[in-house]
Structures are given as C-alpha cells and as structure tokens.
Amino acid sequence: MLWGFFSFFSNFSKPDEKVATVFRYSDYFTKDMIWEVVSSSGSMMLFFTKKDGWIGANRYFFETFGFKGVEDFRKKYESIREIF
C-alpha cells in the first residue's frame, strides 16, 4: 500500500535530461590570448621543457635585462643560470 502512494507522486517529477556538452578550450583560449596575459604580468616568468630546457620568458623578463627575445639573450649567454 505504501509503495503505491510513492509511485503515484513519482509521476509528477520527471527525470532530468542529461545533455552532452563538449567544452573545447580552443574555442575560448588561444595561444595569442594566453601569451598576452603572461606577457602583461608584472612578474618574471621563464618557460622550460624537459627536452629543450629554457625556451623563453615573458616580456617583463626581457625588458628587465634589456633583451629582445631568446635569440638575443643567447648571443650573450649560453645558459639562463649565468645571470642568477
């Protein structure tokens, strides 16, 4: 008898339909946008990979040390460790 009571009310609530949503980060975040955010930071940021080691830095780093980019830096220094 109790089961019939609850089954009567279950007809009033419908289960939520689940909608499959695919979120593509590339639709919202581009490499240029992320680079602009990183470059506008007031902190120095250096970028490394396991394979290649130091591969770059943000604008603040290069402006602080007077370089235009990684290639300009490497003309004077062999390693980032030389300045720290």
Side-chain angles (χ1 to χ4, degrees):
M1 179 76 166
L2 191 58
W3 176 253
F5 178 75
F6 287 113
S7 64
F8 172 77
F9 285 105
S10 68
N11 292 328
F12 290 111
S13 65
K14 295 182 180 177
D16 293 336
E17 292 182 24
K18 298 197 180 211
V19 178
T21 304
V22 177
F23 183 79
R24 292 186 189 103
Y25 289 99
S26 60
D27 292 343
Y28 301 96
F29 304 106
T30 64
K31 183 179 177 181
D32 292 335
M33 185 199 78
I34 293 170
W35 178 249
E36 194 59 39
V37 170
V38 168
S39 287
S40 65
S41 173
S43 299
M44 291 183 201
M45 294 184 199
L46 306 173
F47 312 113
F48 297 85
T49 65
K50 287 184 179 182
K51 179 183 173 193
D52 300 317
W54 183 60
I55 58 169
N58 68 342
R59 187 178 313 144
Y60 186 69
F61 173 85
F62 291 121
E63 288 173 355
T64 300
F65 290 102
F67 297 105
K68 294 178 184 173
V70 175
E71 296 80 18
D72 192 31
F73 176 87
R74 288 191 173 149
K75 288 177 186 174
K76 186 171 181 180
Y77 299 103
E78 288 184 31
S79 171
I80 191 73
R81 294 177 291 208
E82 292 180 43
I83 62 171
F84 291 107

